[in-house]
Every structure is written in C-alpha cells, then in structure tokens.
C-alpha cells in the first residue's frame, strides 16, 4: 500500500532563517506530488506540484521553492523565512479518483 | 477560476443528522471531493462525486447536482468523534493541480 511520510511535525524558526521540509512516498512510482499550505482561517493553498523528477510548477509567487531530486522525494525550501510563511504545510500525492493522500503535515511557526 | 462557498461553522447534537452544504462556480467541472480534517491533522478522503445523485458510505453520504453547482455531505447518527472540519473541493478539467478547496466547515458535535 502507498504511504506518505512528512517531517518534521512541528517547527519553530526565526525570521530570516532557512527552511527545509521533506516528503517521501512509498508504494508507488512516478507519483504526482504537491505542497499545500493551510493558514489559519484559510483554505488549502497549492504552492507547488511536480509530475516527475526535476519538474516543478509554482502556483503562487513567494519566497519558497521546491525540488524533486528523486522520484518519491519532494522538498520544500526557503532561504529566508518571513512571518507570513507560518502555517500548516502538507505534502500530498494524487491518484485517479481517490483524490489526494496527504502527509501528516508540518506546523511551522516563524517568530 | 473557481469559487467555493460553505458555511464556516455548524453545531449538531450527538445522534442527530447534519447536512453540510457546498456551492461552487467553476468552468469545466470534473468532480467534487469531501475531506474530513480533525484539528491539527491532515485532511482525509471521504468521497468523490462525478455524476449527479447521492452516494452513501456507511454513516456518510454525499450528494451532487452539477446543474445547480451544489453538493452536500450528510452525516447520520453523529458521534463526538465527527467533530472536525469538512472540506469541499472541486476538481475542474485539467488535472489535480487545479483542484480548489473551500475554507471548510467546522462541525462541533455536542452531547
């Protein structure tokens, strides 16, 4: 069966510090992968998606970036965090009519 | 673009039935998802409606009317553990990267 791992679960980072969140998927090959952010009181916002190694599409302009160095690995990064980057970050993959399967999420607080 | 509306909050009594509505405007409709999200956790898949009508899965049912741009999630025999946010998400033609999530309906089940 397919599983998706995301870490860390919580993170408190100072403004201006770098960020690296990692997501890995097991039990499937060549998955479509996504990074979402959920800010307080707001819906899920798609940040990046990837259909294959090295293929990244960005949905919103921001100071975040994403990379897919391996088929089942998706990384979200930032060189310098802003206060507005705080939120709940979710990695997901999609398959057919089963919608998204989400990772457990990372609660990021920028202080 | 897409627009999704659902009530922000609802309260219902344990053992009762509750209906959570979702209206949407979209071009090129492909399907509608419902997700359940407990506080601090990732969303989990509940249902996916493509055709008009009611689909039942145990205590949960989901209804879709494409001509009216309308869906609802029906929860029967409410349990305390059903207290969560329920997210409506619309998938237009063009792939999962175009899925739009509603802000979610926070349901509180009271004794």
């Amino acid at each position: 069966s397919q599983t998706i791992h995301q870490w860390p679960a919580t993170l408190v980072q100072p403004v201006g510090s770098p960020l690296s969140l990692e997501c890995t998927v097991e039990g499937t090959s060549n998955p479509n992968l996504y990074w979402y952010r959920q800010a307080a009181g707001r819906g899920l916002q798609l940040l990046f998606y990837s259909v294959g190694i090295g293929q990244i599409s960005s949905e919103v302009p921001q100071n975040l970036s994403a990379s897919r160095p391996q088929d089942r690995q998706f990384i979200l990064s930032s060189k310098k965090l802003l206060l507005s980057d705080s939120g709940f970050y979710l990695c997901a993959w999609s398959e057919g009519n089963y919608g998204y399967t989400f990772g457990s999420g990372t609660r990021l607080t920028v202080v | 673009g897409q627009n999704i509306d659902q009530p922000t909050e609802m309260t219902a009594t344990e053992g009762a039935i509750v209906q959570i509505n979702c209206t949407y405007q979209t071009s090129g409709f492909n399907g509608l998802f419902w997700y359940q999200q407990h506080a601090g956790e990732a969303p989990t898949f509940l249902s996916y409606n493509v055709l008009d009508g009611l689909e039942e899965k145990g205590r949960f049912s989901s209804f879709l009317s494409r001509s009216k741009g309308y869906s609802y999630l029906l929860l029967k025999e409410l349990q305390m553990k059903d207290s969560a946010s329920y997210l409506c998400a619309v998938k237009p033609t063009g792939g999962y990267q175009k899925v739009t999530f509603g802000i979610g309906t926070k349901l509180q089940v009271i004794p």
Side-chain angles (χ1 to χ4, degrees):
Chain A
S1 63
Q2 301 92 346
T3 56
I4 181 167
H5 303 279
Q6 187 180 343
W7 65 93
T10 60
L11 198 56
V12 180
Q13 292 283 99
V15 169
S17 64
L19 173 74
S20 181
L21 302 180
E22 189 163 344
C23 170
T24 58
V25 180
E26 295 179 358
T28 186
S29 13
N30 198 30
N32 290 342
L33 297 174
Y34 309 83
W35 277 111
Y36 276 88
R37 177 171 61 201
Q38 189 175 38
R42 298 184 62 181
L44 285 165
Q45 180 187 34
L46 180 63
L47 302 175
F48 300 94
Y49 71 93
S50 172
V51 298
I53 296 174
Q55 300 179 64
I56 307 295
S57 296
S58 174
E59 291 297 299
V60 292
Q62 60 211 318
N63 69 322
L64 299 170
S65 61
S67 62
R68 187 164 175 179
Q70 300 180 43
D71 181 45
R72 286 171 276 183
Q73 184 185 30
F74 203 23
I75 299 172
L76 182 70
S77 305
S78 174
K79 292 182 179 178
K80 289 186 178 182
L81 284 169
L82 306 172
L83 285 174
S84 58
D85 291 324
S86 294
F88 191 42
Y89 287 81
L90 291 156
C91 179
W93 69 280
S94 65
E95 180 181 41
N97 290 338
Y98 298 100
Y100 294 106
T101 297
F102 289 93
S104 53
T106 297
R107 177 77 55 189
L108 172 67
T109 303
V110 182
V111 296
Chain B
Q2 300 168 82
N3 188 41
I4 298 175
D5 290 310
Q6 51 180 133
T8 306
E9 295 181 347
M10 297 182 72
T11 301
T13 305
E14 190 177 14
I17 299 174
V18 69
Q19 177 174 312
I20 301 174
N21 296 324
C22 171
T23 58
Y24 63 89
Q25 296 90 41
T26 185
S27 52
F29 178 84
N30 195 269
L32 186 143
F33 293 99
W34 283 98
Y35 283 84
Q36 179 189 59
Q37 185 178 23
H38 286 100
E41 299 181 10
T44 55
F45 173 85
L46 289 177
S47 64
Y48 181 53
N49 292 68
V50 178
L51 302 176
D52 291 350
L54 184 69
E55 292 198 8
E56 299 183 71
K57 279 186 186 180
R59 295 190 298 114
F60 291 13
S61 303
S62 55
F63 172 83
L64 176 67
S65 170
R66 290 171 296 171
S67 61
K68 295 182 179 178
Y70 169 67
S71 174
Y72 67 73
L73 182 69
L74 192 71
L75 291 73
K76 302 176 185 177
E77 300 170 17
L78 279 173
Q79 301 175 10
M80 298 301 291
K81 68 178 182 179
D82 296 330
S83 293
S85 287
Y86 292 86
L87 312 180
C88 172
V90 173
K91 182 175 180 287
T93 52
Y96 274 92
Q97 65 273 19
K98 298 188 183 299
V99 169
T100 297
F101 284 83
I103 197 168
T105 299
K106 187 175 181 180
L107 173 67
Q108 183 182 15
V109 180
I110 57 176

